[in-house]
Amino acid sequence: AVYASGSGTEVVIDGAHLKADTASDEGSAIHLSDSALAEVKGESIIHGNHVVGGTSPSSVYLKDGARFTLGGKAKISNESGKNGSGVFINGAEFTMSGNAEISGNSTTSSGGGGHIEGTGGKFNMTGGTVSGNTAVSGGGVYIASGCEFNMSGGSVKDNKAVHTSSTQCKGGGVFLAGKFNMSGGIISGNEAKKSDTEYGDGGGVYTESIGAELKMSGGARIVPSADKKSGKNDVYINAD
């Protein structure tokens, strides 16, 4: 695993494989804090890591002003943890570009691909794919109140929110309690699913009633399912 902390600390990973590690707390593969910087690029693979315990476990954990870039053909896949099993962003900034991929990750809570919380938490997506991830809420990306998801390219597709309770099964692609600025890219094929025959709310995007802000512009697209069924890549706006 990689641990970096402090302003002026910079880590570059190009073509490396970080596989099958286990941690008892945050960040089984990469842990960045206190304004540290990291870039993972080339055909780097972060795969099969697992966190047990901790309050915010994930394979890549960013906090306190850290900045992390996932670019090239780098991939974060097959990770498991409590929250944000792919990437957990706590008052930090994550940028995804090129043909990077966050895929096949699962969590028993929120944010299968990415979980954003904490003051100044931000996810910038200019390219790449968030796909095939699973969570109770925010199968692809979970955005807490006060945080931002800025999407100008790439795709959020084929993710699932899965739970038998409709009060928890929300946001197959994106769960939004903060701000989501979508100026490009595509959201497609996501589902909020309670069972084989029942669906939850906001297969594509679920927005909370207080503080959530969704802005779409440019060539941004949220593609409805062929049968236009509620819970299948739709947008649910909670007005309660």
Side-chain angles (χ1 to χ4, degrees):
V2 176
Y3 184 96
S5 179
S7 178
T9 302
E10 185 171 354
V11 176
V12 177
I13 298 173
D14 188 352
H17 291 191
L18 302 178
K19 290 188 176 183
D21 202 355
T22 300
S24 59
D25 210 329
E26 299 121 350
S28 59
I30 296 175
H31 182 120
L32 297 182
S33 63
D34 299 325
S35 302
L37 308 178
E39 181 180 10
V40 176
K41 60 184 181 178
E43 297 187 1
S44 298
I45 298 174
I46 301 171
H47 176 82
N49 300 282
H50 180 63
V51 175
V52 290
T55 56
S56 317
S58 66
S59 64
V60 176
Y61 183 80
L62 318 173
K63 70 176 183 177
D64 300 338
R67 288 184 289 162
F68 180 93
T69 299
L70 187 74
K73 295 182 179 180
K75 179 187 295 188
I76 299 173
S77 66
N78 196 32
E79 313 294 324
S80 61
K82 183 179 178 182
N83 287 315
S85 62
V87 180
F88 192 102
I89 303 154
N90 184 2
E93 185 170 348
F94 174 69
T95 298
M96 187 173 181
S97 63
N99 295 308
E101 182 180 320
I102 299 175
S103 63
N105 305 291
S106 63
T107 175
T108 56
S109 189
S110 57
H115 178 112
I116 313 161
E117 67 172 47
T119 302
K122 187 181 293 186
F123 180 177
N124 304 311
M125 186 175 185
T126 63
T129 304
V130 177
S131 66
N133 303 288
T134 304
V136 172
S137 56
V141 181
Y142 181 97
I143 308 146
S145 177
C147 298
E148 292 183 22
F149 180 27
N150 301 307
M151 184 178 182
S152 59
S155 63
V156 176
K157 65 178 185 178
D158 302 331
N159 303 284
K160 289 184 180 180
V162 179
H163 199 276
T164 55
S165 170
S166 59
T167 62
Q168 298 187 62
C169 181
K170 299 174 179 178
V174 177
F175 180 100
L176 176 62
K179 294 183 179 180
F180 181 14
N181 303 307
M182 188 180 181
S183 59
I186 184 169
I187 295 176
S188 65
N190 304 286
E191 294 182 346
K193 201 160 189 181
K194 294 166 58 181
S195 69
D196 289 341
T197 57
E198 294 182 288
Y199 290 84
D201 296 329
V205 179
Y206 175 90
T207 67
E208 281 284 57
S209 57
I210 299 174
E213 185 176 305
L214 171 62
K215 292 184 178 180
M216 292 183 67
S217 61
R221 291 188 294 156
I222 300 176
V223 182
S225 63
D227 58 5
K228 296 181 172 59
K229 187 175 181 66
S230 177
K232 296 176 71 175
N233 214 68
D234 59 332
V235 176
Y236 184 97
I237 298 174
N238 184 357
D240 293 338

